[in-house]
Amino acid sequence: MAAAGIVVIYDFDKTIIDCDSDNWVVDELGATELFNQLLPTMPWNSLMDRIMKELHSQGIRIEDIATVLKRSPIHPRIIEAIKSAHALGCDLKIVSDANTFFIETILEHHGLKECFLEINTNPGFVDQQGRLRIFPHHDFTKSSHGCQHPSCPPNMCKGIVIERIQASLSMDDPKKTIIYLGDGLGDFCPSLKLGDGDYVMPRKDFPVWDLICKNRSLIKAQICEWSNGEGFKTVLLHLISRIISVEGNNTSANIDQLYSVDCKLETMSLPAATGPETFPQAIHVLH
């Protein structure tokens, strides 16, 4: 495949979909007031699990939650971009602080689930009583995930996940190129882990873009911003085309229309990363 040497890693909330999936479900199912009351008293994942318990006790079925998720906003150009990247042979992965049930329900609804080989996120599953349970990606009540960066929540350091992915890719020959897309504070740490020849696509005017703008010298990867669904598709497919061309396989590419993108290369070296020796396992998507 033309783009077999490219790994595209996506955040989910406000990157693939244009909302926060947790807030979307809470608001759409009328639990906002309770959510806001409990928010100061417990961690986010525990709060979402509690809200799901309350909704279940009120007679809200798992099918009702799925219906709400299927209405979550997603730009059609983003759907097109993901399908195009998959068709070209890119290895697509998700690293998200949402949960498996929300992500898989939305991806399946839009015909995207088969595009992704790996989903790294908080576990979310339906128990025997038909209640949605949500747990943290990393059980921070037992130990720290080991990252001290203030932008990483206690339940998940995306930088550690990226390091695990990089370790698995290091056995490949030739070396693969990573493109990382995100919007939130938690997407800054993984951006720091990317190397020369990789690309980071921060969403403009969102928290990760602000952090990158203030700390450009810490980013080794080329920085290519995007703002909306149109930009998401244009920038991503341009980068894939550029990488294919560099590898000498540009005749295999089949992308209808590409545009020039302003990407800036930063060269400052990063300190060696530290973290735990074991990592939570990703969910490998069954097709």
Side-chain angles (χ1 to χ4, degrees), residues 30-99:
T32 307
E33 183 176 354
L34 177 62
F35 181 91
N36 291 336
Q37 289 174 356
L38 296 177
L39 181 57
T41 69
M42 62 182 68
W44 189 277
N45 302 118
S46 302
L47 174 57
M48 285 302 299
D49 188 59
R50 171 69 181 277
I51 293 294
M52 294 304 108
K53 177 182 179 181
E54 294 296 329
L55 291 173
H56 183 259
S57 69
Q58 296 171 17
I60 301 295
R61 304 168 304 159
I62 197 67
E63 292 83 4
D64 300 321
I65 298 173
T67 297
V68 165
L69 288 167
K70 293 172 185 178
R71 295 201 305 262
S72 59
I74 181 170
H75 197 289
R77 296 293 178 269
I78 289 179
I79 297 174
E80 293 169 5
I82 291 171
K83 289 183 176 180
S84 295
H86 173 66
L88 287 165
C90 295
D91 176 0
L92 307 188
K93 305 177 188 293
I94 289 175
V95 180
S96 167
D97 200 10
N99 67 75

Side-chain angles (χ1 to χ4, degrees), residues 86 92 112-119 284-287:
H86 173 66
L92 307 188
L112 296 174
K113 186 177 177 182
E114 67 179 11
C115 296
F116 293 93
L117 293 178
E118 182 178 314
I119 299 174
H284 294 278
V285 181
L286 300 177
H287 303 316

Side-chain angles (χ1 to χ4, degrees), residues 159-172 178 279:
I160 292 175
V161 178
I162 293 300
E163 287 178 326
R164 178 189 58 75
I165 293 172
Q166 289 172 321
S168 69
L169 296 177
S170 66
M171 296 179 287
D172 294 339
I178 294 176
F279 308 98

Side-chain angles (χ1 to χ4, degrees), residues 31 37 47 50 58 68 90 93 96 128 136 142 157 191 194 196 200 222 224 235 253 258 264 266 268-269 278 282 284:
Q37 289 174 356
L47 174 57
R50 171 69 181 277
Q58 296 171 17
V68 165
C90 295
K93 305 177 188 293
S96 167
Q128 292 181 341
K142 295 182 179 179
C157 169
S191 300
L194 302 177
D196 294 328
V200 58
Q222 293 195 47
C224 301
V235 177
L258 299 172
K264 297 179 176 60
E266 302 293 349
M268 188 178 204
S269 298
T278 59
H284 294 278

